[in-house]
Amino acid sequence: MFDVNKIRKDFKILERKIWDNKPLVYLDNAATTQKPNVVINSLVSYYENYNANIHRGVHKLAEEATTLYEDVRQKIKDFIDANSTAEIIFTRNTTESINLLAYCLDDSIIKDGDEILLTEMEHHSNIVPWYLLRDRRNITIKFTPITDNHELDYNTLEKLITKKTKIVSITHKSNVLGTVNDIQRIAKITKANNSILIVDAAQSAPHMKISFQDLGCDFLAFSSHKMCGPTGVGILVGKKELLEKMPPFLGGGEMIRKVTFDGFTTNDLPWKYEAGTPNIADVIAFGTAIDYIEKIGLENIYQHELKLTEYAFKKLKQFDFLHIYGPKEITKRAGIITFSNPVVHPHDIATIIDQDGVAIRAGHHCAQPLMKKLSVSATARASFYFYNTPEEVDIFINALNKAFDYFAVGACKELKQGVKSKK
Ligand code: PLP
């Protein structure tokens, strides 16, 4: 049974007090999540008991470390429902996974004159790698627009795909709007057009059950640190035939089969893309995080976040001068609430509510093109995970109330009256 109070005991950091003895209310989970004690213990245990370099050693420690590391690949394969462990590549983070693709698809797939289709709601990590590719090749990058309800405009997306569109790269869940995109619908279009479909699952994989095979995409990327695992571990899932076709990313040890004075041959998948000593301890601890999340259950996580979002929305109604971004229907955007108002800057809101122990994010959220589309320079964002509670939402709302009183009580009141007289 899902018991949030019991779950919270698994996280030492959630006992922390901030400033003058305020309980920590951590609502910055879209940036990174907290780590349960089992994950921290797993890191310590690796260094205390198994530390050795993997794959090449014949001694007992090296064998044990290799087994622990490769077992995690199998866990991820099952977690994300990939076809085989050959399709699971360890990287440093989602950003590196997408950069790997932008680098390796160049030449093997992309030619001058080709087009890449993104969306207006992408994180910089799914924009800049493609700009870097555009700096090397004469290609065009297009952006699928969002609708007034902050969903993808699927009709326009269909029109923007042409015979020249080699790659469609798209976020599964927006880190600003919370919008969850219909990847299966897009996969049908890309398949019919022979385009490669890449999915940035950084914000979806931690919060909802995903099947790589059912989504129908060609590549999928996500980060350990956004799902209770350590920083420094990312995952790239890719279709075997494409991973085989692409050249390697980085060169060095591990990714080779043979090196001579003339050249080299590449290792089998997945190691072809894993040059050098990997992040062994963190990968092993990520395996522990996956076990932990699976025990809680992704459906329970999704439902809990949905309830928290619904509750927070109800409470936020009192601030009718706030502009809340993302789809109006909560089921389309669970877990993330991004807002702003024309009077108090989001950084000021975040700074003031921090005094009450409430951690939210303010800024452009690494989505400057989207900010431009929304006609703001910054927004404030509260983002939930399964260890957050309705009581924490109450503290957040009370802290917001204080912030508006502190900064702009008069201006907010006027705004409020303005909103009412317009109704
Ligand atoms: N994509 C999305 C939608 C994100 O929200 C983030 C991080 O916030 C990233 C990609 C980049 O993740 P990382 O910094 O782990 O590479």
Side-chain angles (χ1 to χ4, degrees):
M1 208 190 77
F2 184 88
D3 179 348
V4 68
N5 292 318
K6 198 161 157 256
I7 284 169
R8 287 177 69 81
K9 294 202 173 78
D10 295 336
F11 293 79
K12 177 104 182 72
I13 200 166
L14 297 181
E15 295 167 14
R16 239 209 92 168
K17 300 285 187 272
I18 301 288
W19 303 114
D20 50 348
N21 226 17
K22 303 266 169 47
L24 168 68
V25 175
Y26 186 77
L27 304 180
D28 194 16
N29 294 288
T32 199
T33 57
Q34 298 303 342
K35 322 302 172 201
N37 306 335
V38 281
V39 168
I40 298 164
N41 294 343
S42 173
L43 274 174
V44 174
S45 168
Y46 168 75
Y47 284 116
E48 282 182 352
N49 299 299
Y50 307 101
N51 180 40
N53 211 333
I54 56 169
H55 292 146
R56 287 173 297 265
V58 291
H59 54 79
K60 181 79 178 141
L61 273 193
E63 258 175 40
E64 286 176 352
T66 303
T67 304
L68 287 169
Y69 182 88
E70 288 301 331
D71 280 354
V72 177
R73 208 186 296 275
Q74 178 67 42
K75 260 179 213 173
I76 292 165
K77 181 232 153 220
D78 295 340
F79 177 80
I80 209 71
D81 189 28
N83 282 294
S84 74
T85 51
E87 297 184 329
I88 308 295
I89 316 286
F90 288 117
T91 61
R92 281 188 305 152
N93 44 42
T94 303
T95 305
E96 187 173 283
S97 298
I98 299 173
N99 273 275
L100 184 158
L101 290 174
Y103 184 83
C104 298
L105 287 168
D106 183 12
D107 223 18
S108 59
I109 304 279
I110 293 285
K111 302 279 175 271
D112 281 353
D114 284 345
E115 293 173 358
I116 292 177
L117 182 58
L118 310 175
T119 82
E120 286 180 343
M121 62 170 88
E122 298 309 316
H123 188 280
H124 294 163
S125 64
N126 194 27
I127 301 175
V128 182
W130 305 113
Y131 283 165
L132 289 169
L133 173 56
R134 189 179 60 184
D135 288 346
R136 300 193 295 272
R137 295 218 165 257
N138 183 18
I139 56 164
T140 303
I141 295 175
K142 294 178 178 172
F143 291 88
T144 304
I146 55 170
T147 65
D148 292 344
N149 195 36
H150 296 166
E151 293 177 80
L152 261 196
D153 181 345
Y154 293 95
N155 292 332
T156 306
L157 181 143
E158 211 158 343
K159 286 185 197 129
L160 286 173
I161 293 186
T162 71
K163 281 292 152 213
K164 291 183 187 166
T165 312
K166 288 286 169 61
I167 294 170
V168 176
S169 193
I170 196 162
T171 190
H172 193 186
K173 180 176 173 182
S174 160
N175 64 315
V176 176
L177 308 169
T179 313
V180 178
N181 294 320
D182 187 345
I183 300 300
Q184 284 179 326
R185 180 172 173 180
I186 299 165
K188 277 193 196 124
I189 304 168
T190 51
K191 212 169 259 172
N193 197 56
N194 276 328
S195 313
I196 287 174
L197 178 58
I198 299 168
V199 173
D200 169 356
Q203 295 294 347
S204 58
H207 304 276
M208 57 202 274
K209 184 73 197 146
I210 291 182
S211 159
F212 176 66
Q213 297 187 65
D214 288 353
L215 282 180
C217 56
D218 298 291
F219 294 100
L220 185 130
F222 56 101
S223 296
S224 147
H225 71 95
K226 291 191 196 284
M227 45 195 299
C228 292
T231 50
V233 179
I235 303 298
L236 173 64
V237 191
K239 284 209 177 127
K240 202 170 163 212
E241 59 272 22
L242 286 166
L243 290 171
E244 270 164 357
K245 194 170 168 193
M246 294 186 322
F249 180 37
L250 302 172
E254 199 65 38
M255 50 72 70
I256 49 87
R257 175 171 298 286
K258 193 168 183 193
V259 184
T260 66
F261 284 117
D262 291 326
F264 72 98
T265 54
T266 51
N267 203 344
D268 294 335
L269 290 174
W271 305 287
K272 170 182 166 186
Y273 292 99
E274 294 178 7
T277 301
N279 195 348
I280 307 166
D282 292 297
V283 164
I284 292 169
F286 182 36
T288 309
I290 288 186
D291 289 342
Y292 180 79
I293 282 177
E294 298 247 66
K295 219 166 94 195
I296 290 172
L298 277 157
E299 185 54 26
N300 287 332
I301 291 173
Y302 179 79
Q303 291 301 335
H304 181 71
E305 289 176 17
L306 192 65
K307 276 190 213 139
L308 283 179
T309 313
E310 244 166 12
Y311 182 65
F313 257 79
K314 221 163 67 193
K315 293 268 173 173
L316 281 166
K317 274 198 183 134
Q318 65 188 281
F319 309 120
D320 54 4
F321 48 88
L322 272 191
H323 193 99
I324 300 179
Y325 302 92
K328 296 202 173 34
E329 305 82 354
I330 282 160
T331 47
K332 289 183 177 171
R333 48 91 53 79
I336 289 179
I337 303 179
T338 297
F339 56 93
S340 70
N341 93 51
V343 176
V344 189
H345 193 280
H347 279 131
D348 291 335
I349 297 177
T351 306
I352 287 296
I353 72 173
D354 178 55
Q355 302 298 307
D356 279 331
V358 183
I360 62 161
R361 181 138 299 228
H364 55 60
H365 315 289
C366 292
Q368 284 175 344
L370 177 59
M371 293 294 119
K372 175 131 180 70
K373 172 81 182 191
L374 300 173
S375 304
V376 283
S377 58
T379 63
R381 178 186 71 191
S383 52
F384 304 124
Y385 211 18
F386 57 83
Y387 40 69
N388 290 125
T389 65
E391 292 75 28
E392 287 184 311
V393 173
D394 290 338
I395 296 173
F396 164 55
I397 298 290
N398 288 338
L400 272 185
N401 232 329
K402 274 205 244 168
F404 295 137
D405 280 352
Y406 179 83
F407 270 108
V409 66
C412 281
K413 265 187 190 152
E414 276 163 31
L415 256 168
K416 220 167 175 171
Q417 276 155 9
V419 170
K420 280 195 180 134
S421 63
K422 267 194 218 153
K423 278 182 185 166

